[in-house]
Amino acid sequence: MRVPEEYERAMRIALVEAHAARETGDVPIGAVVLDATGRIRGRGRNRREAEHDPTGHAEIVALRQAARELGTSRLDGATLVTTLEPCVMCAGAALTARVARVVFGAWDAKAGAAGSVYDLLRDGRLPIRTEVVGSVLEAECAAPLTDFFADR
């Protein structure tokens, strides 16, 4: 499957956010939310360490910003683009926000909830499901994480 250029462009912006997260000692993960027209409505980077916030994941930060900008908690038609496969908390937030799709770069074999460890986003037992597109710029998204953890 050919990945739409729109997703690659958004992922490159998410990567900029990921690199900025590392500057504050946070795990380098970045995210953006695109509205149904492809316009960026939210940006986020991990802020757990910077803000002493256990919910300060890049995806949560981006979803909150998009919801504030759009004036609604329902992000119908939106796309969440993130450099790492979302965890259970972030996948749950994406479902609650009613995003249409989640696009991610690197897979998370330890805590991923979009197909690797769990598949919360497409779980037929839930009343809400979303499209999942993985491995977008996978190597570029994995590299900052590998470097970050190698330094520890």
Side-chain angles (χ1 to χ4, degrees):
M1 173 182 143
R2 173 73 181 124
V3 175
E5 286 181 38
E6 170 186 32
Y7 297 164
E8 289 185 2
R9 277 194 305 271
M11 189 64 76
R12 292 192 191 288
I13 294 166
L15 279 162
V16 169
E17 294 292 332
H19 290 292
R22 186 171 184 164
E23 294 172 15
T24 60
D26 279 287
V27 177
I29 300 170
V32 297
V33 175
L34 307 174
D35 68 14
T37 69
R39 182 175 170 203
I40 293 176
R41 295 302 190 134
R43 294 176 186 236
R45 65 182 74 124
N46 269 12
R47 305 206 44 85
R48 290 182 59 189
E49 300 304 319
E51 295 181 0
H52 312 292
D53 178 2
T55 67
H57 289 204
E59 300 92 333
I60 301 294
V61 173
L63 288 167
R64 285 178 180 156
Q65 188 179 87
R68 276 192 305 270
E69 182 172 323
L70 295 169
T72 180
S73 65
R74 294 184 68 116
L75 303 177
D76 297 314
T79 300
L80 172 63
V81 179
T82 180
T83 58
L84 182 66
E85 179 185 5
C87 68
V88 170
M89 176 179 69
C90 294
L95 290 172
T96 301
R98 307 295 201 273
V99 298
R101 78 199 44 78
V102 173
V103 175
F104 66 89
W107 291 86
D108 185 351
K110 292 182 182 176
S116 62
V117 179
Y118 307 101
D119 199 354
L120 190 65
L121 294 169
R122 296 176 287 199
D123 190 324
R125 296 169 293 185
L126 298 173
I128 307 160
R129 283 174 287 294
T130 188
E131 177 186 355
V132 174
V133 178
S135 302
V136 175
L137 303 179
E138 183 173 10
E140 291 174 58
C141 291
L145 292 162
T146 302
D147 294 345
F148 179 83
F149 289 109
D151 291 346
R152 301 217 175 274

